[in-house]
Structure formats: C-alpha cells, structure tokens
Amino acid sequence: MPYEVVDTLLSPEGRLDILSKAEVQRLLDTSHGGLYQLFRNCALAVLNTGNDTDDAKELLDHYESFQINIIQRERGIKLELKNAPGTAFVDGIMIKGIHEHLFSVLRDILFTHDEILSNPTFDLASSTGITDSVFHILRNANVLHPHLNPNLVVCWGGHSISRDEYEYTKKVGYEIGLRGMDICTGCGPGAMKGPMKGATIGHAKQRLATGRYLGISEPGIIAAEAPNPIVNDLVIMPDIEKRLEAFVRTGHGIVVFPGGAGTAEEILYILGILLHPDNANVPFPLIFTGPAGSADYFRQIDHFIGVTLGSEAQKRYKIIVDDPAEVALEMLRGIAEVRAFRKSKGDAYYYSWTLKIDHAFQQPFEPTHDNMRNLSLHKNQATHLLAANLRRAFSGVVAGNVKESGIRAIEQHGHFEISGDREIMEPMDALLASFVKQSRMKLPGKTYTPCYRIIK
C-alpha cells in the first residue's frame, strides 16, 4: 500500500552537495522576494509525478501541509521533506528518478536567480541578452552536448489526449528511437510522455544506452504537467518564453501531436519565428501528425493558420496522418538539411545562434485581465507579430486553465476577454470550442469551465 504522505531526509545528487549560507538563506526565505515558495511549489510538482491532476491550485491546496527545508551540516546539505506525496516513494524510499528531478529543480532555481536574474551582466531587456541567458541555463544543466551530430527531436502536444492518440505518440517515438534520434518534450503526461516511452524501446532494440529524454518546464506549468518518470534530463526555465526558446534553439526539428490551447500556443510560436524575414531560408523540419482519427483536428488547425497567418505559414510544415515511420523518415531528412545548413554557416549543432527570434516572442507575457483585453489581434501588422500576439492569447487561456496564478485571477475577476478583428476572432472561437468539445482543455473526467470569452 502506498503512503499517503511521507517524511524523509534526502542527500543530494551530483555537485549540489554543498551550498553557501547565503544560498540556503535565499531558499528558505518566505518573504515576497525569497525563493522558498517557488522552490516548494516546483518540488511538490516533481514529487507528484504520476498523479492525475492538471490543476496547479488543486495540487497546492491538497498538499497545503507539505514542507521542504534545507539542513546544512559540515559535511554538506540534506533536504528535509514533511508530508510529501506518498506516490513518490517505494517501500518508504524515494524513487531514484524523482530524487534526481528534485535536485534538478534546486539547481535551476538557484542558478537562474543568482547567475541570471540577479546578474547585471545579462541584459534581459535585450533580445541577445535573453538568448544568452537561455544558453547559460541550459549549459549549467549540462544538456548541451557539443560533440554530437544533430539528432534531438522536440515533441509537442497535449497532456489531455485520447488513448488512441497516446498510443500513436508512442509509435512515432519508437520509429524515432529506432533511427537513433533523441526526444525532448515539455516533460509532462500525454503527448509529452508517449514519444519518450516509445523511444526507449527503439533505443533498447538498437542497443543505444545513451538515449536522451530531455524535459523542459517552467514554474508556472510544472504543477499541471509534472515531469514524467522517463525524463532523464530535467531543466526548469524561469518563464514560458524562455522555455519555448530553449526548445527551438536546442532542438533540430519539431513534431506536433494533437493538443489544446498549449499546443496551439507552441504552433504559433514556432510559425511566428519561421515567418520572420531573417529566417526565410533557415531549414527547420516541422511536422504535424496523429492517428487517422485526428485528421479533422489537423484540418481545423491548418484552416486556422491559413485564415490568420496565410499560405506562407502553411508552407512551413507538413501534415502526416497515421504513418509513424514516415514521420521519422521525414524528420531524419529534415535534420540532415539542418546539419548541412549549420555547418555552412558555422552555427553550433547543439544550440542555434543564427535563428532569429524577435523580441516580441521573448518578452515575458503576464496574462492579466488588462493584458488579455489589450492584445493586438488584427491583420494590420507584420504576420510574425500577429503570430506573437495570437501566441499570447492562447498562453493566457493555458494560464486560466491550469496555472495557479491564472486560476486564482479567473476566480477573482471573471473571464479573460479576448477581442480583435472578426476574421481572426471567429476562427479562434471555433478552434477553442473544438478543444472544449474534444476534452483537450482538461484531463478526461474533469468538467471544464471556460476561463475566456471571445468578443467579436
């Protein structure tokens, strides 16, 4: 029988066996500017791996008595956990992967605060400064491997998908793994877990013992999308924008499975980048795929992109339905083009410095009611900037659906109001309504109450 809650002491993994007194103090500081609440919430999310919830507020409320403290001794530190979720333990001992993820959280929160956010060397108001900060966070996490040929496939898709769609993601991951490619996802359940699970079998059959299953998350979403147990490298970026930039700069191609508002946000992000004039000739394989039953889903996504961003955006991706092997082969061909291009430009294989990411895609967007109401959703602007604003709209819907801050804002002030040109609002309304009808906004079995209202 699993424990409901467990108290334990943990020794650290890797080089976090010692911390300075100042670092410990920042982690235990419960004031507004301290790191304790951030550290506690991310740690709780990691400990909740495998439990069926996508509501950050629900998780935090359920384990309100959970505490995590740092005990500093002469020989190093220990983490003291009180009232931790029992599902993180087997026979009273923490599962090894969860143990590793917990110290990844500690590593990234400390490094980001001390070396990035509090460091005047990084100009986080500039585009180059943000890109540099993303690089340093990834390098500190030891996930940038300079001596490998490009082979990292980013897989995006929903945490709430049908069983048929989930099984399909595993088949695609299996075909990718058979061809020696690694997997990077948002690290949660559903379409983030399936490709990793499939790739482990493909890698095992090819006797590839060094398969990489990279998960990239951020504090606002990690509680709703707790790292799945297959992730062997976990990185916590400081916000959603840096998380998305980490995906596209480290990845060599992207596969998109069916999903909801978060998947639409990701699609708009990568299309907005690829539509920038500076990226017109940059190869970047982008494939939308799902089982035969998802064909209508991708027709609707394709239609939405066509009426909002136009035919040029539609040329930047391929839709492959019900053919996992072809997805893997197409990705393999695309990555070969990426390698040749980066070699010709002298760009790094492990981090794309030449890809232009407009500042509009890098600025952290806080989905307040005023900010959502004032989004510029009209066609009288450059297409890539329209994509940036559409991305923000869907990001706000994600926040209202699953993030603690967004859920509390909706409870206090009502629906987010989203308005713009009718030719944009009508297809957006139809797309979001289809996500609701197909149960893509919340995990199956949970009643979804919309957090938004479209004003045409």
Side-chain angles (χ1 to χ4, degrees):
M1 291 288 292
Y3 296 87
E4 185 179 356
V5 291
V6 173
D7 296 346
T8 191
L9 277 174
L10 296 175
S11 296
E13 296 282 333
R15 59 190 177 86
L16 281 175
D17 51 348
I18 56 173
L19 295 176
S20 72
K21 289 185 177 180
E23 287 172 324
V24 172
Q25 185 57 43
R26 283 192 290 277
L27 286 166
L28 297 181
D29 185 357
T30 58
S31 70
H32 179 71
L35 296 180
Y36 179 78
Q37 205 60 43
L38 175 64
F39 178 43
R40 174 193 178 273
N41 292 355
C42 289
L44 178 58
V46 165
L47 293 166
N48 198 54
T49 295
N51 289 338
D52 292 331
T53 181
D54 62 354
D55 187 324
K57 178 177 175 294
E58 178 185 296
L59 172 65
L60 296 173
D61 288 347
H62 185 74
Y63 289 102
E64 191 175 5
S65 62
F66 169 69
Q67 297 177 38
I68 184 166
N69 296 302
I70 297 175
I71 300 175
Q72 190 163 24
R73 296 171 175 166
E74 287 77 5
R75 290 179 296 175
I77 67 162
K78 285 186 179 291
L79 290 185
E80 179 187 43
L81 277 63
K82 293 184 177 180
N83 301 316
T87 51
F89 299 80
V90 174
D91 300 331
I93 301 173
M94 183 174 288
I95 295 168
K96 183 71 171 178
I98 294 176
H99 191 163
E100 291 176 354
H101 291 168
L102 194 59
F103 281 92
S104 293
V105 167
L106 177 60
R107 174 202 67 208
D108 292 339
I109 286 177
L110 268 179
F111 180 80
T112 298
H113 180 272
D114 291 357
E115 302 298 330
I116 304 296
L117 301 181
S118 301
N119 187 347
T121 302
F122 290 97
D123 180 10
L124 296 180
S126 72
S127 182
T128 54
I130 291 170
T131 295
D132 203 32
S133 72
V134 171
F135 169 82
H136 278 78
I137 294 169
L138 294 170
R139 187 178 68 175
N140 183 67
N142 197 32
V143 298
L144 300 179
H145 297 173
H147 304 299
L148 297 179
N149 277 321
N151 76 335
L152 189 61
V153 181
V154 175
C155 294
W156 285 340
H159 71 293
S160 179
I161 56 176
S162 69
R163 188 70 201 181
D164 188 38
E165 289 170 341
Y166 176 68
E167 292 298 327
Y168 182 81
T169 69
K170 289 199 294 184
K171 292 176 182 176
V172 172
Y174 171 71
E175 296 290 346
I176 287 172
L178 278 179
R179 290 162 178 82
M181 293 179 281
D182 292 331
I183 301 287
C184 172
T185 77
C187 83
M192 291 166 275
K193 179 182 178 181
M196 290 184 168
K197 199 167 187 178
T200 59
I201 305 301
H203 288 155
K205 284 190 174 184
Q206 297 287 17
R207 301 298 187 261
L208 298 173
T210 56
R212 298 178 63 206
Y213 315 105
L214 172 61
I216 303 177
S217 191
E218 57 98 9
I221 202 73
I222 192 172
E225 297 176 356
N228 71 68
I230 302 168
V231 172
N232 60 11
D233 275 319
L234 175 66
V235 185
I236 311 299
M237 304 302 293
D239 52 58
I240 188 65
E241 288 76 15
K242 293 179 184 63
R243 180 197 192 197
L244 290 168
E245 182 162 352
F247 280 129
V248 301
R249 292 211 186 268
T250 58
H252 305 110
I254 295 176
V255 174
V256 181
F257 297 103
T263 304
E265 175 186 4
E266 291 164 340
I267 289 171
L268 289 162
Y269 179 86
I270 184 60
L271 287 179
I273 289 169
L274 296 179
L275 287 170
H276 193 286
D278 290 359
N279 296 325
N281 298 315
V282 176
F284 198 99
L286 177 60
I287 301 170
F288 299 170
T289 190
S294 302
D296 285 344
Y297 169 87
F298 285 112
R299 274 194 286 269
Q300 188 161 14
I301 291 286
D302 185 53
H303 173 73
F304 175 76
I305 292 168
V307 297
T308 55
L309 303 181
S311 60
E312 286 303 310
Q314 292 173 310
K315 294 175 184 177
R316 293 307 306 239
Y317 56 84
K318 293 184 178 180
I319 299 176
I320 301 174
V321 175
D322 204 27
D323 195 340
E326 180 57 26
V327 172
L329 285 168
E330 183 64 30
M331 184 55 62
L332 203 61
R333 290 189 287 264
I335 288 179
E337 292 182 20
V338 169
R339 183 186 186 281
F341 177 82
R342 293 197 188 179
K343 187 175 182 179
S344 70
K345 298 293 183 182
D347 197 8
Y349 291 160
Y350 55 87
Y351 191 82
S352 177
W353 293 99
T354 59
L355 190 70
K356 171 66 177 179
I357 299 183
D358 193 279
H359 199 219
F361 289 92
Q362 297 177 306
Q363 294 170 302
F365 174 70
E366 184 181 357
T368 64
H369 282 72
D370 282 344
N371 287 343
M372 290 291 285
R373 193 178 297 114
N374 293 325
L375 284 172
S376 180
L377 301 176
H378 58 78
K379 291 195 174 183
N380 187 26
Q381 58 186 314
T383 308
H384 69 279
L385 295 179
L386 172 57
N389 284 309
L390 285 169
R391 198 281 302 177
R392 291 172 178 140
F394 282 96
S395 187
V397 174
V398 173
N401 285 348
V402 300
K403 294 186 180 183
E404 181 202 14
S405 58
I407 293 169
R408 294 192 189 280
I410 298 300
E411 289 177 346
Q412 293 174 10
H413 305 295
H415 296 84
F416 287 138
E417 294 180 345
I418 307 172
S419 63
D421 291 350
R422 178 175 291 273
E423 60 265 36
I424 294 174
M425 291 297 99
E426 287 185 347
M428 177 185 283
D429 196 13
L431 186 64
L432 288 168
S434 73
F435 292 163
V436 175
K437 185 177 180 180
Q438 297 164 18
S439 300
R440 298 190 184 279
M441 295 293 212
K442 299 287 284 183
L443 287 171
K446 295 195 173 186
T447 302
Y448 176 67
T449 302
C451 65
Y452 64 90
R453 181 164 57 245
I454 301 292
I455 301 174
K456 302 172 187 175

